[in-house]
């Protein structure tokens, strides 16, 4: 079964860091762009960061300079390193990718609070 599985979320204080991981069930995901999205309560899901098949990255304005997306094709895994976290980063973070970007993970909760 084709799937994406996120991990690494949790509770962190403002200014702290977290690294999210997204493991794909098969290597075919390596041929497509992969993205991290987030959805806060009462808000629409939004793109946080994107990485192409060739490793070119793109970030939402709120993530630039604080978040880094990367991928390890040998492990079929995409990462999101998040630094200098703010309370407004609190959300469920989802991984997306695959053919026609049709696959989503189940999400991982990130809570930034003191």
């Amino acid at each position: 079964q084709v799937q994406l599985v996120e991990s690494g979320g949790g509770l962190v204080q403002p200014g702290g860091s977290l690294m999210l991981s997204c493991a794909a069930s098969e290597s075919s995901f390596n041929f497509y762009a992969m993205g991290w999205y987030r959805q806060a309560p009462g808000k629409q899901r939004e793109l946080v960061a994107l990485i192409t098949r060739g490793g070119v990255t793109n970030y939402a304005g709120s993530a630039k300079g604080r978040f880094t997306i990367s991928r390890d094709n040998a492990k079929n895994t995409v990462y999101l390193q998040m630094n200098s976290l703010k309370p407004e980063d609190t959300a469920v973070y989802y991984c997306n990718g695959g053919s026609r970007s049709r696959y989503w993970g189940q999400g991982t909760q990130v809570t930034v609070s003191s």
Side-chain angles (χ1 to χ4, degrees), residues 21-81:
S21 299
C22 170
S25 59
E26 55 185 57
S27 61
S28 63
F29 282 91
N30 297 333
F31 292 97
Y32 302 100
M34 299 290 293
W36 284 98
Y37 291 73
R38 69 185 182 188
Q39 187 166 19
K43 295 187 177 182
Q44 289 189 332
R45 192 172 296 188
E46 62 178 2
L47 176 67
V48 176
L50 188 73
I51 186 165
T52 68
R53 169 183 176 179
V56 177
T57 59
N58 192 26
Y59 298 92
S62 59
K64 283 182 180 178
R66 299 189 299 127
F67 295 1
T68 302
I69 188 171
S70 60
R71 66 193 303 166
D72 185 340
N73 289 343
K75 297 181 179 179
N76 302 336
T77 300
V78 177
Y79 304 97
L80 185 68
Q81 176 67 44

Side-chain angles (χ1 to χ4, degrees), residues 63-111:
K64 283 182 180 178
R66 299 189 299 127
F67 295 1
T68 302
I69 188 171
S70 60
R71 66 193 303 166
D72 185 340
N73 289 343
K75 297 181 179 179
N76 302 336
T77 300
V78 177
Y79 304 97
L80 185 68
Q81 176 67 44
M82 304 187 295
N83 299 327
S84 303
L85 283 162
K86 305 174 182 180
E88 51 263 43
D89 295 317
T90 296
V92 179
Y93 284 70
Y94 297 91
C95 179
N96 169 262
S99 176
R100 296 189 294 275
S101 298
R102 60 183 171 177
Y103 297 102
W104 292 90
Q106 81 288 353
T108 185
Q109 176 70 46
V110 172
T111 302

